[in-house]
Amino acid sequence: AGSLMTTKHSQTQSMLEKSLTSTSTNTPYFKAADPTEMPPYVTKCPSNGLCSRLPPDCMTCNTNYSCVYGKPATFDCKVKPYVHCVDQNNNEQENFTVNMTCQFCWQLPTTDYVCTNSTNCMTVSCPRQRYNATCTVRDHIHCLGNRVFPKMLYCNWTGGYKWSTALALSITLGGFGADRFYLGQWREGLGKLFSFGGLGIWTLIDVLLIGVGYVGPADGSLYI
């Protein structure tokens, strides 16, 4: 009888252990949450600061459908998990209001967001070329809609060429094609060099074209 009870007890214990383990990996089925795993937005959220001054990534707000575009509006907001903030009386709170202008993020002034640059488009072409940029709103700016949005921007970059240097070379050494060589236009530079600046006519024309900014760097960038 004693051996029978021992056998039943061992079978019951074995069944209990199997129910608490995964049949596929033979590891515990229930995994305790790791308290050290924090959402990435927590690094942007100052602890125990004013809730109304938290970055937008630290809160969730209800859309105010009654707001008028371009006018100040009040939005009801709540802090995200793991974010701690206080009110004016230094009391911890979760629900609060935020005052902002009623407008979508893509309608913000250009100083309120940062966009990617492109070096594959021409800045001195006519008409001016545009490129597809990805823009991100700055952390302290509140707005409606997506904080990352696409936008068509004019090509506006520089390769380090100075307008003053190009103009000075055109006036002094333009007959030898130095201005065109400086701007990276080697064919035109060789043409001016072997034609003595087009007998002076080409030199005068280039001084005028570079002076008004019509002739620019060969890579399509802007002067600095």
Side-chain angles (χ1 to χ4, degrees), residues 150-162:
K151 197 163 188 176
M152 292 289 293
L153 299 178
Y154 283 110
C155 297
N156 187 20
W157 63 283
T158 177
Y161 296 94
K162 292 184 177 180

Side-chain angles (χ1 to χ4, degrees), residues 14 21 26 38 62 72 78 91 94 105 108 110 139 145 159 163 167 208 210-211:
S14 177
T21 57
N26 199 28
M38 291 291 183
N62 297 326
K78 182 179 181 180
N91 296 322
E94 293 185 357
C105 295
L108 290 170
T110 55
D139 290 339
W163 172 82
L167 182 60
L208 177 62
I210 294 176

